[in-house]
């Protein structure tokens, strides 16, 4: 939130520059512009650094806690449930699925910060010229619909890609744990083909 207010402060400072310097020919005000701008840039940069550092620590701790809870949950499952859940899928959920949360969390946090920045800049725009701002906001609903449908489609492909990664782990785990059987029957090419097919499927979903 503090970073958002710093960005709004920089936007709010633009109009006085034009009014006092370009139109009012106020040379005294001109001398203060570099100082104020540098102060705002330093404040914004410092707040952004501390925000990134704190959020990174929080994300890592959350991921560690989720991974530990998932591992404890799997250990408490009955043997019959282990028969129905592929080992590779469980390993994928503990490793790659949880790691994807660590990658997604900063994006969500940054999105939340951008929302506060947008609200702060919107407040500045309404303060400067509320009529022109309302005219500009009238097109927002038309731009929101494509974003909604694109996000929904991306979410569907994200679930499929996670499932495909689980299949890759299952194939690799079964091959490595049963390598003696594979060597005995000479099915190395068949197993490599299974992995290659699922790997290409994951590639198609990822892009």
């Amino acid at each position: 939130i503090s970073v958002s207010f710093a960005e709004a402060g920089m936007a709010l400072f633009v109009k006085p520059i034009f009014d006092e310097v370009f139109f009012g020919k106020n040379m005294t005000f001109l001398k203060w512009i570099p100082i104020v701008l540098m102060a705002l840039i330093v404040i914004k940069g410092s707040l952004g650094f501390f925000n990134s550092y704190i959020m990174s620590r929080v994300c890592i701790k959350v991921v560690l806690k989720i991974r530990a809870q998932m591992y404890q949950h799997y250990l408490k499952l009955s043997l019959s449930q282990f028969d129905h859940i592929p080992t590779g899928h469980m390993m994928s959920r503990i490793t790659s699925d949880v790691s994807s949360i660590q990658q997604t969390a900063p994006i969500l946090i940054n999105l939340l910060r951008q929302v506060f920045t947008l609200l702060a800049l919107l407040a500045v725009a309404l303060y400067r010229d509320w009529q022109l701002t309302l005219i500009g906001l009238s097109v927002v609903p038309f731009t929101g619909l494509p974003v909604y449908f694109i996000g929904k489609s991306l979410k569907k492909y994200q679930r499929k890609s996670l499932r495909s990664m689980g299949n890759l782990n299952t194939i690799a785990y079964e091959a490595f744990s049963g390598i003696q059987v594979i060597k005995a029957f000479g099915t190395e090419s068949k197993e490599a083909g299974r992995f290659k097919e699922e790997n290409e499927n994951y590639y198609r979903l990822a892009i």
Side-chain angles (χ1 to χ4, degrees):
I1 298 176
S2 55
V3 177
S4 302
F5 282 123
E7 293 182 355
M10 296 180 68
L12 189 63
F13 194 60
V14 172
K15 188 175 185 298
I17 293 177
F18 282 93
D19 291 343
E20 297 294 333
V21 177
F22 293 100
F23 300 112
K25 306 298 182 180
N26 189 342
M27 294 297 103
T28 303
F29 189 85
L30 179 62
K31 296 178 181 179
W32 285 97
I33 291 178
I35 299 175
V36 175
L37 287 178
M38 286 299 298
L40 289 174
I41 291 173
V42 170
I43 292 172
K44 178 186 174 184
S46 301
L47 292 174
F49 171 77
F50 285 111
N51 175 73
S52 300
Y53 175 74
I54 293 172
M55 289 301 101
S56 296
R57 287 180 60 91
V58 171
C59 291
I60 293 174
K61 286 186 177 181
V62 169
V63 169
L64 292 177
K65 187 174 182 180
I66 293 175
R67 184 176 286 126
Q69 290 178 346
M70 288 186 66
Y71 186 72
Q72 293 175 5
H73 172 72
Y74 282 141
L75 292 178
K76 294 178 182 179
L77 294 177
S78 62
L79 292 176
S80 60
Q81 289 176 307
F82 276 93
D83 294 335
H84 294 88
I85 303 176
T87 305
H89 280 248
M90 290 190 292
M91 294 175 60
S92 177
R93 289 171 185 171
I94 293 177
T95 55
S96 61
D97 289 11
V98 176
S99 297
S100 65
I101 297 176
Q102 184 176 351
Q103 297 173 1
T104 306
I107 298 176
L108 295 177
I109 294 171
N110 184 61
L111 179 62
L112 182 62
R113 190 184 71 180
Q114 294 299 328
V115 170
F116 283 110
T117 301
L118 178 62
L119 292 176
L121 293 176
L122 180 62
V124 173
L126 289 171
Y127 173 74
R128 292 303 184 191
D129 192 334
W130 65 271
Q131 293 177 328
L132 185 61
T133 303
L134 292 179
I135 294 174
L137 290 175
S138 63
V139 301
V140 172
F142 299 100
T143 59
L145 288 176
V147 174
Y148 169 76
F149 288 111
I150 292 174
K152 189 175 181 180
S153 178
L154 291 176
K155 185 178 180 180
K156 181 181 68 174
Y157 281 103
Q158 177 69 14
R159 287 197 299 266
K160 289 183 178 180
S161 64
L162 291 176
R163 193 179 302 115
S164 179
M165 178 58 68
N167 293 335
L168 282 174
N169 286 332
T170 299
I171 294 172
Y173 174 81
E174 291 175 350
F176 295 151
S177 60
I179 190 63
Q180 294 178 345
V181 177
I182 293 175
K183 292 290 186 180
F185 289 93
T187 58
E188 293 93 336
S189 299
K190 179 181 178 181
E191 293 299 325
R194 287 180 59 202
F195 188 88
K196 180 181 179 181
E197 181 181 356
E198 189 61 43
N199 200 28
E200 290 177 349
N201 180 50
Y202 174 79
Y203 172 76
R204 288 192 296 270
L205 293 172
I207 61 172

